[in-house]
Amino acid sequence: MNPTDVPGLPPGVPEFLVDSGIEALYPPQAAAVDAGVTEGDSLVASVPTASGKTLVAELAMLSSVHRGGTALYVVPLRALASEKKAEFERWADFDVEVGISTGNYESSEEWLSSRDIVVATSEKVDSLVRNGAPWIDDLTCVVADEVHLVDDPNRGPTLEVTLAKLRRINPDLQVVALSATVDNADEVADWLDAELVKSDWRPVDLRTGVHYGDAITFDDGSQREVPVGRGERPTAALVDDALDDGGSSLVFVNSRRNAEAAARRQADVTDRHLTDDERDELAALADEVASVSETETSEDLAAVVEKGAAFHHAGLSAEHRSLVEDAFRDRLLKAICATPTLAAGVNTPSRRVIVRDWRRYDGEFGGMKPLDVLEVHQMFGRAGRPGLDPYGEAVLLAKDHDTMDELFDRYVHADPEPVGSKLAREPAMRTHLLATVASGFARTREGLLDFLDRTLYAAQSEETARLESVVDSVIEYLVANDFVERNGDEITATNLGHTVSRLYLDPMSAAEIVDGLRDADDPTPLGLYHLVCRTPDMYQLYLKSGDRETYTELCYERETELLGRVPSEFEDVRFEEWLSALKTAKLLEDWASEVDEDRITERYGVGPGDLRGKVDTAEWLLGAAERLAVELELDSVVAVREAKKRVEDGVREELLDLTGVRSVGRKRARRLFEAGVESRSDLREAEKSVVLGALRGRERTAERILENAGRQDPSMDDVSAAETAVDDGDDGGKGETGRSGGAGADQQASLGDFE
DNA sequence: TGATTGGTCGTATAGACAGCATGTC
DNA sequence: CTATACGACCAATCA
């Protein structure tokens, strides 16, 4: 089928497709068109990664827009949202405008409602529905990307419920669900009243196999010799072998530490294959990587990047990740060693994929648990770059013959697991039942059950008894915590319940916060950080060896600051969790006390990405706590707001006025303060030479800051920097800056003890 | 003698959405 | 209750 044969597209689009090299549709794409995706019919496409799913979605959305509608593209990750938005912007010439809406970035409200295509995460869509965004009612087409994630215990139910709500709001809505190949795609299609297109077709040949001894054995029985030298590791031999053919490698391992260690070893291999030009480019890239942050992670990454390899995991900052991903896509980096993040994230295809570790530690399982077939197949799916590689290879590693047989059975010749709804789990129910009541989708127990009948859970499950019993116990919980009220049969959300639903909080988090704040007289930042850290919406840090003692001690030392009653050290299982929350809270307190980033990452054994993540979540939760305090007219509002501002800017109290000035962050604010410029008004009146000195003689920066502070004459012409007492950043590892009295001083004492 | 190999022991274990209102060094 | 790999350390072995 040719693009010109596709009905329903805006004029010019088929020709545009042909011009951009798409002369014939891939078979699954043609099947989707035959099933009516461009004529408003719903569809489930269960096809391999990189087999042209995105074009199917684009055809559906373009045709829907052409008929005068608007489309929504739902993704599981923020990074994917920006990737897709950029991709869809190629339709700008056809008057199709694209907007984006995620937690950290959003096109403005009225602008968004004028878009033809909006890209958003499933949580954001859920939140938009809860907050009654008007344009949601006018949608004509929704695309759900990676719909197999309904199986995810944490986030799957959100996708499931959101799709159910969108369909209820608009019964004529066209739903296009894109899925990896799963066993029971037909059930998903039944649920969505959609046609099913199922295919194994791939544009680039994929060969999967197992390496054992000195060769890879592929699924078709063929072999490729890849001898492993004496003392050499199989992974290194495979990376080397791929490079001999001019191909890159993507290695999946099961822990961050392994990713970093393996990347160091691979770097020695990739280093041997570099041209002089590549070496220059890599040196520049390494500099860029190193300058992202002054942390060990940054240095370690730069050290391997220089040799053409990299590691990739969630401890990296967003900048690190995109630098690595882009350079790998540009074929500058020859090998990446990654945790499973990469398999689910943005598009990073590679000639060869090596799944080195196929088991991962799982605390609940109590040991090393084999990865799901679906997960491994997702990794396999990264092999082969369309248009660049003649074929892709995915290889598992076996160290003995039995393992080889097992891997063939378990992964190479196996079908992926069926996906199943996780909606009946209580944490998911808590959030979604409250939201369903609060946004008026149901007003009674029966109404709730009726709504739930539209979900995948109901479509998959014969008996509803389990669902009913979870619903009942969750209603009890919501009533007991004053989120909903019962009047006879009717269930309505209280004001508090409405607020919690709109804030997108887990009701259990809200209950914890409300309890803690009610108990609080004059809460300290640490007390508030601990409060939000022990909610289920915050992932806590692990306790490492020795941490138990450290934080038990800290817990007693600062017991008066902690909100609520400390669980008993000896009787209560919650004590452990209380300590992890304390460790996490302490990290936030360090951050809000201007401890350097590298100091924090080292002290808590986390990466810069984790630090950002914790700070981000704390910001969100403290913002929510502030709103709750306002709602309940509690005295702690001011204390919460200040604690929030301090994590947001990463500074002590006395710098908050300065960091309120645009382009002044934690570093510059501290330098200015130390030079005697202590507030926004000081900035307007201070001696210019002092300001310039504090800013290390950066004239442009100084001018910008003075201007932002509202100074009349910001010009730095003819001003020379004054000497300042501030030491110059290279502070010999002493992260804690600032000793000036006020609120900071009493905290300083315990900080010292903590070392 | 120094380099390489081989054993034990201790230790640590993937990921990341959301409100609101704007912007680091 | 459940596993495994890595790195650090130290001892044994070989050129």
Side-chain angles (χ1 to χ4, degrees):
Chain A
M1 186 186 283
N2 303 321
T4 43
D5 301 330
V6 179
L9 293 178
V13 166
E15 292 73 19
F16 177 84
L17 287 172
V18 173
D19 285 349
S20 47
I22 301 174
E23 311 226 325
L25 296 187
Y26 293 154
Q29 293 166 341
V33 171
D34 284 338
V37 254
T38 57
E39 290 157 303
D41 292 338
S42 291
L43 175 82
V44 171
S46 176
V47 296
T49 343
S51 62
K53 275 188 290 206
T54 306
L55 186 62
V56 172
E58 287 179 302
L59 295 177
M61 294 192 296
L62 287 172
S63 63
S64 200
V65 168
H66 184 50
R67 288 190 299 273
T70 42
L72 175 66
Y73 192 97
V74 184
V75 291
L77 296 170
R78 294 202 282 233
L80 286 175
S82 16
E83 188 188 48
K84 291 300 172 191
K85 178 183 182 265
E87 232 173 304
F88 299 156
E89 270 168 354
R90 67 174 168 148
W91 303 111
D93 290 346
F94 297 90
D95 275 343
V96 174
E97 297 195 82
V98 187
I100 187 170
S101 178
T102 67
N104 59 351
Y105 183 67
E106 172 166 40
S107 321
S108 75
E109 170 69 29
E110 64 273 23
W111 196 76
L112 209 53
S113 53
S114 71
R115 294 309 87 178
D116 303 297
I117 297 176
V118 174
V119 185
T121 54
S122 37
E123 283 77 9
K124 188 64 189 192
V125 178
D126 188 15
S127 168
L128 288 165
V129 172
R130 293 182 187 196
N131 287 287
W135 55 271
I136 292 281
D137 299 352
D138 306 327
L139 290 174
T140 52
C141 173
V142 60
V143 179
D145 199 2
E146 313 280 358
V147 86
H148 54 271
L149 291 174
V150 289
D151 191 77
D152 182 288
N154 296 315
R155 299 180 53 209
T158 304
L159 178 57
E160 187 180 338
V161 167
T162 301
L163 286 176
K165 282 183 180 167
L166 292 176
R167 295 181 71 210
R168 163 110 167 227
I169 293 170
N170 184 350
D172 297 328
L173 184 67
Q174 177 188 18
V175 179
V176 177
L178 309 176
S179 172
T181 33
V182 294
D183 199 50
N184 59 339
D186 52 329
E187 283 180 23
V188 179
D190 277 350
W191 166 46
L192 295 171
D193 301 311
E195 287 287 314
L196 174 64
V197 168
K198 199 169 179 170
S199 162
D200 289 330
W201 188 90
R202 284 179 47 107
V204 181
D205 245 10
L206 175 65
R207 311 165 74 199
T208 52
V210 178
H211 177 89
Y212 162 62
D214 287 333
I216 308 170
T217 306
F218 287 104
D219 47 353
D220 60 4
S222 66
Q223 292 203 322
R224 178 188 174 95
E225 217 171 304
V226 183
V228 179
R230 210 172 59 94
E232 193 186 19
R233 289 171 187 261
T235 312
L238 286 162
V239 170
D240 207 2
D241 177 65
L243 274 172
D244 286 340
D245 258 11
S248 60
S249 296
L250 195 49
V251 183
F252 286 105
V253 298
N254 63 4
S255 76
R256 295 177 178 190
R257 218 167 63 126
N258 283 341
E260 297 188 15
R264 272 190 290 276
R265 287 190 300 266
Q266 284 164 32
D268 294 331
V269 178
T270 54
D271 196 31
R272 298 199 295 264
H273 292 265
L274 299 175
T275 65
D276 287 345
D277 283 353
E278 286 173 333
R279 250 176 241 288
D280 292 345
E281 285 183 63
L282 284 168
L285 180 65
D287 282 346
E288 212 176 331
V289 166
S291 70
V292 167
S293 72
E294 285 174 19
T295 56
E296 216 184 311
T297 309
S298 225
E299 285 172 32
D300 293 349
L301 185 58
V304 288
V305 161
E306 199 168 11
K307 297 178 176 180
F311 52 87
H312 188 288
H313 56 64
L316 299 187
S317 61
E319 303 85 64
H320 278 149
R321 287 203 219 182
S322 44
L323 283 173
V324 167
E325 289 156 8
D326 293 346
F328 189 67
R329 220 173 291 125
D330 294 344
R331 310 167 84 177
L332 183 55
L333 288 174
K334 309 299 177 192
I336 294 187
C337 193
T339 55
T341 352
L342 208 59
V346 298
N347 191 28
T348 48
S350 170
R351 164 79 64 82
R352 180 172 281 176
V353 165
I354 301 163
V355 181
R356 194 194 77 178
D357 301 336
W358 51 279
R359 282 176 293 205
R360 183 170 53 222
Y361 180 83
D362 182 329
E364 270 173 59
F365 183 76
M368 301 304 277
K369 188 181 179 184
L371 300 181
D372 285 346
V373 179
L374 183 58
E375 216 174 340
V376 172
H377 283 193
Q378 290 275 92
M379 296 174 184
F380 284 179
R382 295 277 135 151
R385 297 164 299 177
L388 283 174
D389 289 326
Y391 55 87
E393 289 173 337
V395 187
L396 288 148
L397 299 188
K399 57 179 187 303
D400 54 58
H401 201 276
D402 286 351
T403 312
M404 178 163 84
D405 289 344
E406 183 183 355
L407 291 177
F408 267 109
D409 289 347
R410 188 186 274 278
Y411 295 117
V412 179
H413 295 136
D415 290 324
E417 298 80 4
V419 294
S421 167
K422 300 292 187 285
L423 184 59
R425 294 165 60 107
E426 214 168 301
M429 263 317 177
R430 278 199 307 258
T431 312
H432 292 298
L433 283 197
L434 175 59
T436 303
V437 171
S439 32
F441 284 93
R443 317 186 67 86
T444 59
R445 176 179 182 274
E446 277 59 47
L448 280 171
L449 290 170
D450 184 50
F451 172 76
L452 292 172
D453 205 41
R454 301 159 176 273
T455 61
L456 175 64
Y457 185 89
Q460 285 188 318
S461 157
E462 288 296 310
E463 44 101 28
T464 52
R466 164 149 168 72
L467 193 64
E468 284 191 42
S469 91
V470 179
V471 167
D472 286 333
S473 71
V474 168
I475 293 176
E476 288 310 317
Y477 175 86
L478 295 174
V479 170
N481 284 284
D482 199 29
F483 296 128
V484 301
E485 280 172 340
R486 248 186 316 218
N487 287 311
D489 273 352
E490 203 177 20
I491 302 173
T492 48
T494 61
N495 286 338
L496 180 62
H498 275 289
T499 304
V500 170
S501 169
R502 281 197 300 262
L503 288 172
Y504 213 78
L505 280 181
D506 181 334
M508 190 176 264
S509 299
E512 185 83 37
I513 290 172
V514 167
D515 275 359
L517 291 182
R518 281 205 169 114
D519 178 66
D521 202 20
D522 182 23
T524 64
L526 184 78
L528 292 166
Y529 300 153
H530 186 253
L531 180 63
V532 297
C533 285
R534 61 188 206 238
T535 66
D537 276 311
M538 176 72 94
Y539 269 81
Q540 294 149 2
L541 298 173
Y542 296 111
L543 291 181
K544 301 185 181 178
S545 71
D547 280 354
R548 217 191 132 79
E549 294 68 37
T550 314
Y551 291 98
T552 304
E553 200 178 311
L554 189 71
C555 178
Y556 290 122
E557 201 175 300
R558 306 192 56 181
E559 191 179 341
T560 52
E561 290 185 51
L562 305 182
L563 309 176
R565 208 176 53 79
V566 182
S568 160
E569 180 177 349
F570 308 101
E571 294 155 33
D572 206 325
V573 287
R574 289 179 309 157
F575 188 69
E576 193 83 7
E577 211 180 323
W578 186 272
L579 288 186
S580 335
L582 182 58
K583 181 176 178 185
T584 316
K586 186 68 184 127
L587 171 143
L588 292 171
E589 195 196 43
D590 279 4
W591 173 251
S593 307
E594 299 165 49
V595 179
D596 283 343
E597 191 185 18
D598 61 332
R599 206 84 205 291
I600 297 182
T601 51
E602 185 198 328
R603 184 182 286 173
Y604 297 93
V606 296
D610 302 293
L611 173 55
R612 275 290 356 143
K614 294 285 174 289
V615 168
D616 238 36
T617 309
E619 256 177 70
W620 166 55
L621 285 170
L622 288 164
E626 186 190 331
R627 293 278 298 274
L628 289 173
V630 170
E631 174 93 28
L632 298 167
E633 297 177 356
L634 300 173
D635 299 329
S636 39
V637 178
V638 178
V640 176
R641 184 176 305 147
E642 188 180 301
K644 182 200 165 210
K645 288 209 68 174
R646 285 190 48 199
V647 230
E648 216 173 292
D649 296 341
V651 294
R652 288 164 185 276
E653 190 186 358
E654 71 258 24
L655 296 190
L656 283 177
D657 193 40
L658 281 172
T659 49
V661 177
R662 198 164 36 172
S663 352
V664 179
R666 65 200 306 242
K667 294 269 169 67
R668 288 174 181 169
R670 178 49 67 192
R671 286 198 211 101
L672 287 165
F673 193 92
E674 294 297 308
V677 182
E678 302 188 354
S679 67
R680 180 185 283 259
S681 58
D682 284 358
L683 268 176
R684 286 197 284 258
E685 280 141 35
E687 216 36 73
K688 281 184 183 173
S689 59
V690 174
V691 174
L692 191 58
L695 295 170
R696 298 161 153 184
R698 304 297 165 103
E699 293 191 14
R700 298 280 298 278
T701 308
E703 284 173 1
R704 201 168 66 241
I705 288 172
L706 288 189
E707 201 180 326
N708 292 337
R711 188 159 181 151
Q712 298 299 325
D713 54 334
S715 166
M716 281 286 161
D717 293 347
D718 304 322
V719 177
S720 57
E723 287 291 318
T724 62
V726 182
D727 69 285
D728 222 28
D730 260 344
D731 53 8
K734 287 285 168 287
E736 285 85 350
T737 34
R739 296 298 116 99
S740 10
D746 47 331
Q747 283 173 16
Q748 195 58 47
S750 60
L751 251 176
D753 293 345
F754 182 73
E755 299 296 324

